[in-house]
Amino acid sequence: MMNLRNSVQLIGNLGKDPEIKTLESGRKMAKVTIATNDIYKNSKGEKIVDTQWHNLVCWGRVAERMEKYLTKGSEICLQGKLTHSSYKDDKGVTRYSSEVVVHEFMMLSKKRNGAEKEELPVLSY
Amino acid sequence: MASTVTIFNSNLKSFKMKNASNSVHLIGNIGRNPELRKLDNGGALITMNLATNDYFKDKEGKRVVKTTQWHHIVAWNKQAERMGKFLKAGNRVAIIGKLEYCKYEDKTGKKRRRTRICVEEFQVLNRPMAEA
């Protein structure tokens, strides 16, 4: 139901290797940035390449898969939801940040050397 | 891999294919009345806030926790004027758009990043009603 109300789909390349953290509970979290490119011609006929950088976060099985298969430059297609949060920085100023929480992803580029045969997408909620 | 967007111009309307690499679907309620601004070059810009709700059930299966995400929505030119005509505070609307980030400098000169969704398609749903 949630996917109908708040759903993001991105296709792009990772900017860095995923940053993996294991929490005290044992749960894994992965954070990474991804670049999406939108190429189009504007009304003047000029080619425009619009690159957007998105912050991704994922948990559990999805994070484990990310750790296993993805590196900087990997091309993936993902689906998730858009979340916004605010925090106060050291000067007490409210800052806002947005992240896409990844529900599932699919690798589009070649796998890492030694990786196993591609599994079906794993859903993790 | 890149998605190609083709723009056709006819006498009546422009047609732009949606890109596949960056797509957001939201269904939610509009906050305050949208603000429509006319730009110097003849275009228009509309901004509004949209709230999407997520409900979590507890172990007994009762709906308990409601979390709300507020999204900044923008639209340009013809799309902005169309939205300005149809949308008001409280309207329930479905939006398809693109996730964008704009950089700006705040008063202290620090670089900041703001998230917004640029609308490609929208549809007004019924007036706000209690979630089923």
Side-chain angles (χ1 to χ4, degrees):
Chain A
M1 186 62 157
M2 183 57 189
N3 285 346
L4 296 175
R5 288 182 247 190
N6 180 343
S7 176
V8 180
Q9 186 165 317
L10 303 174
I11 299 176
N13 299 296
L14 297 199
K16 285 186 272 197
D17 286 352
E19 184 191 312
I20 313 290
K21 284 185 194 163
T22 307
L23 306 181
E24 282 172 8
S25 58
R27 203 149 189 243
K28 270 200 175 158
M29 178 180 93
K31 277 193 171 183
V32 74
T33 52
I34 189 174
T36 58
N37 295 308
D38 182 19
I39 301 178
Y40 61 96
K41 284 200 174 150
N42 66 7
S43 46
K44 295 176 193 167
E46 297 162 347
K47 180 176 163 185
I48 306 284
V49 180
D50 178 28
T51 304
Q52 298 289 339
W53 283 96
H54 312 264
N55 295 324
L56 305 180
V57 67
C58 52
W59 303 86
R61 290 284 303 274
V62 184
E64 287 168 19
R65 266 191 93 225
M66 231 184 223
E67 180 184 28
K68 194 173 178 187
Y69 292 117
L70 302 186
T71 56
K72 175 179 174 177
S74 294
E75 187 177 25
I76 62 170
C77 173
L78 65 94
Q79 190 277 328
K81 73 176 182 190
L82 184 57
T83 60
H84 309 282
S85 56
S86 63
Y87 63 95
K88 287 218 165 127
D89 68 7
D90 40 19
K91 292 182 183 168
V93 179
T94 308
R95 302 289 199 101
Y96 299 95
S97 75
S98 303
E99 286 174 332
V100 176
V101 178
V102 180
H103 293 156
E104 63 172 315
F105 72 89
M106 197 174 104
M107 280 160 46
L108 300 174
S109 58
K110 278 189 179 172
K111 294 173 268 298
R112 261 196 232 172
N113 286 335
E116 292 160 15
K117 193 178 165 187
E118 165 117 340
E119 303 160 13
L120 293 172
V122 172
L123 296 180
S124 173
Y125 291 88
Chain B
M1 171 176 147
S3 59
T4 310
V5 171
T6 313
I7 304 177
F8 299 98
N9 273 318
S10 71
N11 286 337
L12 299 175
K13 56 188 177 184
S14 311
F15 176 76
K16 181 177 186 250
M17 279 169 66
K18 288 193 279 292
N19 73 84
S21 58
N22 180 343
S23 182
V24 184
H25 288 228
L26 301 173
I27 297 179
N29 298 305
I30 294 180
R32 286 171 302 196
N33 273 327
E35 289 175 20
L36 177 63
R37 275 182 8 216
K38 300 277 178 178
L39 305 175
D40 294 335
N41 61 5
L45 167 66
I46 195 169
T47 56
M48 66 192 85
N49 291 329
L50 184 88
T52 57
N53 297 316
D54 190 16
Y55 300 89
F56 294 97
K57 288 184 180 178
D58 64 4
K59 287 173 193 173
E60 291 142 38
K62 289 183 200 166
R63 194 181 278 168
V64 175
V65 182
K66 173 182 162 182
T67 58
T68 302
Q69 295 288 340
W70 283 98
H71 310 272
H72 296 294
I73 311 287
V74 297
W76 300 90
N77 305 325
K78 289 235 164 58
Q79 186 72 283
E81 285 170 18
R82 228 179 283 138
M83 293 180 92
K85 237 201 268 182
F86 293 110
L87 300 181
K88 292 191 185 74
N91 274 154
R92 199 176 196 199
V93 64
I95 279 177
I96 298 179
K98 188 177 151 179
L99 195 49
E100 289 180 348
Y101 307 89
C102 59
K103 292 179 187 172
Y104 66 99
E105 278 188 20
D106 66 9
K107 297 170 205 171
T108 61
K110 271 197 178 166
K111 289 189 180 161
R112 303 285 205 98
R113 200 174 95 125
R114 202 174 151 110
T115 307
R116 65 186 190 196
I117 290 115
C118 182
V119 178
E120 287 161 353
E121 309 277 346
F122 77 99
Q123 183 164 324
V124 183
L125 308 173
N126 289 333
R127 270 165 291 166
M129 55 190 190
E131 299 287 347

